[in-house]
Structures are given as structure tokens and as C-alpha cells.
Amino acid sequence: MEKRTTDFGFQDVPIEEKAGRVADVFHSVARRYDVMNDLMSMGIHRLWKRVTLERSGVRRGNSVLDIAGGTGDLTKKFASRVGPTGRVVLADINASMLNVGRDKLIDEGIGHQVEYVQANAEALPFPDNTFDCITIAFGLRNVTDKDKALRSMTRVLKPGGRLLVLEFSKPTNALFEKVYDQYSFQVLPRIGKLVANDADSYRYLAESIRMHPDQETLKAMMEAAGLDRVEYTNMTAGVVALHRGVKL
């Protein structure tokens, strides 16, 4: 029987190997992740996350799941919004990223309402209809089976709950796309080498962005997973898109 494969950047790898390879990437970059985010995006990632926060509709007392939450940028903001009666779960498949996020938030005095769970987005360890809002920011492209993950997220949303997917996408301007490609494949690995001593991981990140579904494809995938009123907002000329869907 032919072995089933999936993408790891521009490589074809056996499906069962992808999660481990992605894990190695994030074990490598975890400690320098925040610094690299600021350098790679020139700080614009903070604006993208602010838009996500505003579109989430999260309010006091809500229950929020931040998947692939990494170093906790969104979790910190959500904790402030839900208040002491709410609940925020910072989930990440990668133990190194989760530990960095937990240590960072504890050092910043983030409250008791935050929980930390190592979890695979494809098989979330929560009961049906648990969360008012789920976010996954810059994590879906690293998931092996994206359709399965979207179904898993939809399952644990409450009826009326919102899923927000913030992810790199396809630029809407051809000229800008050429400049963006040059930056991604020529400059980004060099920054990774200088700052994190790891060019290969950042080369993978650039490749994984190109392999991720475009805006309309991801919208259709979210609808197929059972979400309604799916829409997306392009930011920075489509370099990033925020998709939002509601569970009926």
C-alpha cells in the first residue's frame, strides 16, 4: 500500500512524521519566539492580534480557548476581558512553547482563570459545547489534518460560539506578493540565523505559509466543518487573513 504523505513546508513527508517535525521547529525557536515575531512582522503582528481580539466578541464571564497560543499574547488579553468569573485555556501541542507561555504569563501576574493544556487541535480534550470563543493564531498551517482540526474546534464550541482563525494567507496584490516572497525566502532565514541561530526553522515557516489554503479555500473548509456565517478580513494586503465563523 502506498504510504500517505503530507506537506512539511515544500517537502512531502509521511503523515505520521509531520507533527514531530513541526514540534522540532518550535522546540528550537520557543525561547526567541516573541523577539522573532516582532522582527519578522516589524511589530505589525500586534495589530493583527488586536483586530482578532475586537472581532472575538469576548466579554466578562466567557469561556475562551486559545489554540496554538504559544507565548500567550492573546491569552493575556482574553484573561483581562473575561475577568475573574471567566475562563481562558492556553493550549499548545508543543511543550516548549506552552512552558514559555505559562512562565511569561505567571511572571506578569495573569490571574487564576488561565489554564494551560498540552493538546492536539485535531483531538481537543474537552467536552462538546464548552467554549464561547476559540482562537487559533498562526497555528492552523502547522496542523497535519486541518479539516479534522476544524471539526474538533467546532465540536467544543457552544451553540452561538465563534471560531476565529488568524493566519498568513495569499497577498491580493501581485507586485506586493513578489516583494513578500523575496523577504520570506531571502531575508527571513537570515534573521532567523542571526537572532535564533536557526535559519532552517524560519525557512520552514516561510514554506508552510505558501502551502496553507488561500482565503476562499479556508472559508469553504470552515463551512464544511459545520460553521455558519463564515467571513474573512484581509490585513496587510492579504499577507494575513482573519476568518470568523459561528456555530449554530
Side-chain angles (χ1 to χ4, degrees), residues 56 58 63-65 78 131-135 157 161-164:
S56 72
V58 168
S63 182
V64 180
L65 173 61
F78 282 130
F131 296 99
D132 296 290
C133 181
I134 297 175
T135 57
L157 271 177
R162 291 85 59 200
L163 171 63
L164 289 93

Side-chain angles (χ1 to χ4, degrees), residues 69-164:
T71 54
D73 286 354
L74 280 171
T75 292
K76 177 181 177 181
K77 301 294 187 181
F78 282 130
S80 175
R81 288 208 169 197
V82 303
T85 61
R87 175 193 184 197
V88 183
V89 178
L90 170 55
D92 205 294
I93 195 173
N94 187 278
S96 297
M97 293 293 290
L98 193 63
N99 288 337
V100 169
R102 182 187 59 214
D103 292 348
K104 174 184 170 184
L105 295 182
I106 289 173
D107 287 347
E108 294 181 7
I110 301 304
H112 67 278
Q113 73 269 41
V114 176
E115 303 166 30
Y116 303 91
V117 176
Q118 187 172 357
N120 186 336
E122 296 176 23
L124 293 168
F126 307 105
D128 296 359
N129 308 320
T130 297
F131 296 99
D132 296 290
C133 181
I134 297 175
T135 57
I136 179 166
F138 307 113
L140 186 61
R141 73 180 186 279
N142 297 310
V143 173
T144 303
D145 190 333
K146 297 174 180 61
D147 292 305
K148 186 176 181 181
L150 290 168
R151 291 194 300 270
S152 181
M153 294 179 221
T154 302
R155 177 185 65 79
V156 301
L157 271 177
K158 295 177 182 178
R162 291 85 59 200
L163 171 63
L164 289 93

